Amino acid sequence: MNREKILGPVGSAENDDRSLRPQRMSEMVGQREVFERLEIAVQAARQREEPLGHILFDGPPGLGKTTFATCIPHELGVPIEMTSGAALRAPKDLIPYLTNIQDRAILFIDEIHRIPANVEEYLYTAMEDFRIDLVLGDGLNARTINMTIKPFTLIGATTRAGMLTGPLRDRFQMREHLDFYSVEELTQIIKGNAKILQMEIDDESANEIAIRSRSTPRIANNRLRCVRDYVTARADGKIDPDVTRAALLKWEIDTLGLDKMDRKYLETLIGVFHGGPAGVEAIAHTINTASDTLIDEVEPFLLRTAMVVRTPRGRVATQRAFDHMGMSGKPVDIDDESVGDDQDTLFT
Ligand code: ADP
């Protein structure tokens, strides 16, 4: 199949992310259980010469959902069509994909939780019976024909599995949740990607980048690129641990992988709100940003690393956050009833 269709012109600067994307499942690191189940399903589908069952990947951004989805057609030797839930506003947006789909090909819908209800319903018969209704003509002359489409595999990816309706979820034969990566796995990914980017990197430097990459391959790739730029511009082109630390410092990425925005959040929560509880809206106003940005992009990591906890009265900084930020004061006792009091959800 046409490799460029999936990967773009490999090696060009704007396509670095794509060029670093493994093309075969065997090149992927980690997620072993998911890998093994998919390997079995792919092999069975090939042997039976049947389409693979529909697959749903869920998990936070940057963990490999798209990578799995784009490797699978390579394993099966079939083409892939890619779209996104946000682009499918009505069934008519979906029809060209379904009517043009080739036998046993993959249709990949990223962020599938964003499709509206009428598109979702249209998918049901397509997924289950490989049939769709087409309306021909309009007004009084309109008539509906029921059309058979080629058997295909739908692969959906979502960062918000909870937003999918039960009927849609149940139509996926396999549902796979992707987990965060260990430092060792990220180190392996970074070393492999440094090779692709034609850079030399030692184990310690790769490990240093991995530690600061929030357990996420996409972030590891971005950090690696920052170090590469720094090395190209400021050093003699060779990565070593000192240069790596200097580069990450320049990009304001600290030893735990927190960036400028994360630290600003903690500085505000601790410095202005005395460690909380504080509502996310109040924090957002103080640092002059949108609360959605904090909720989607900043808080998940701070919550996951137990720097911040959510209480019914608002966000609270933990001892870990005070220590990491080197700020004086004491975190509020979250077992204290007035903090745990569920009276003011406005603050959350
Ligand atoms: P998602 O679709 O979950 O947001 P992607 O599949 O786009 O994440 O992954 C982002 C990047 O991270 C990929 O381009 C690839 O370079 C890297 N990556 C993700 N998962 C893996 C993996 N298991 N092994 C190696 N690299 C990976």
Side-chain angles (χ1 to χ4, degrees):
M1 70 170 301
N2 183 353
R3 182 166 173 253
E4 294 221 338
K5 191 167 178 188
I6 297 178
L7 298 165
V10 174
S12 66
E14 69 273 24
N15 280 303
D16 261 0
D17 192 45
R18 293 177 180 192
S19 70
L20 295 182
R21 178 166 282 147
Q23 294 169 53
R24 307 299 303 227
M25 279 184 12
S26 57
E27 295 165 18
M28 293 184 73
V29 175
Q31 311 287 355
R32 284 304 92 179
E33 309 236 310
V34 177
F35 174 92
E36 280 167 23
R37 281 191 290 270
L38 285 171
E39 208 180 27
I40 292 170
V42 163
Q43 197 185 332
R46 283 182 75 127
Q47 277 176 10
R48 287 199 302 260
E49 300 188 359
E50 280 175 5
L52 185 68
H54 305 304
I55 305 171
L56 179 68
F57 290 110
D58 82 84
L63 296 191
K65 298 181 293 297
T66 308
T67 306
F68 268 119
T70 51
C71 283
I72 289 170
H74 281 133
E75 306 299 329
L76 290 167
V78 299
I80 178 170
E81 290 291 338
M82 299 175 78
T83 182
S84 162
L88 303 172
R89 303 316 310 155
K92 71 172 173 38
D93 301 322
L94 189 59
I95 289 170
Y97 291 104
L98 295 175
T99 51
N100 292 327
I101 197 108
Q102 293 182 34
D103 193 24
R104 286 180 248 161
I106 306 285
L107 172 60
F108 175 54
I109 306 183
D110 198 10
E111 294 298 301
I112 194 166
H113 60 269
R114 297 184 64 181
I115 59 173
N118 56 349
V119 176
E120 180 178 322
E121 278 156 25
Y122 201 78
L123 264 179
Y124 292 166
T125 51
M127 289 171 79
E128 223 158 54
D129 307 322
F130 305 120
R131 303 186 72 84
I132 52 171
D133 280 338
L134 281 182
V135 180
L136 300 180
D138 44 16
L140 284 177
N141 295 325
R143 63 198 169 93
T144 304
I145 60 160
N146 192 258
M147 181 185 161
T148 309
I149 55 171
K150 298 267 167 48
F152 72 103
T153 301
L154 178 68
I155 301 184
T158 178
T159 47
R160 304 218 174 151
M163 280 176 70
L164 251 57
T165 64
L168 181 59
R169 256 201 323 265
D170 292 346
R171 280 173 170 81
F172 289 99
Q173 190 177 318
M174 290 178 77
R175 281 178 262 166
E176 296 294 350
H177 175 75
L178 299 192
D179 258 325
F180 289 105
Y181 291 66
S182 67
V183 169
E184 292 71 36
E185 288 166 346
L186 287 183
T187 305
Q188 196 184 335
I189 292 174
I190 290 163
K191 284 164 70 178
N193 287 347
K195 218 178 255 169
I196 295 172
L197 296 172
Q198 299 179 330
M199 294 152 63
E200 267 182 51
I201 191 166
D202 58 286
D203 288 353
E204 192 184 336
S205 303
N207 184 258
E208 188 69 50
I209 299 174
I211 290 170
R212 302 186 194 206
S213 295
R214 301 162 170 247
S215 319
T216 305
R218 177 176 294 134
I219 297 180
N221 288 347
N222 292 343
R223 308 279 195 249
L224 176 64
R225 278 192 209 101
C226 291
V227 174
R228 179 177 67 156
D229 287 350
Y230 186 88
V231 161
T232 309
R234 292 283 167 88
D236 61 1
K238 209 171 156 298
I239 300 180
D240 66 38
D242 286 340
V243 169
T244 302
R245 281 188 276 271
L248 294 167
L249 186 68
K250 184 56 83 195
W251 264 270
E252 302 188 39
I253 293 150
D254 72 20
T255 47
L256 285 184
L258 269 61
D259 62 22
K260 210 169 148 185
M261 189 67 169
D262 303 320
R263 282 195 307 277
K264 203 164 169 191
Y265 179 108
L266 291 180
E267 266 163 29
T268 308
L269 182 56
I270 297 173
V272 179
F273 296 100
H274 312 293
V280 67
E281 292 291 343
I283 303 170
H285 277 305
T286 309
I287 55 183
N288 201 14
T289 191
S291 55
D292 281 353
T293 310
L294 296 185
I295 292 168
D296 290 341
E297 293 170 26
V298 178
E299 290 190 331
F301 183 62
L302 299 177
L303 291 166
R304 181 155 61 85
T305 51
M307 296 268 189
V308 170
V309 288
R310 284 172 77 156
T311 72
R313 298 284 309 275
R315 276 54 168 172
V316 172
T318 62
Q319 185 67 54
R320 186 160 194 233
F322 278 78
D323 293 345
H324 182 67
M325 297 301 291
M327 293 174 81
S328 59
K330 235 178 101 52
V332 69
D333 178 6
I334 52 170
D335 293 328
D336 177 350
E337 287 201 349
S338 64
V339 176
D341 191 359
D342 192 7
Q343 54 170 309
D344 201 346
T345 41
L346 263 184
F347 279 129
T348 57

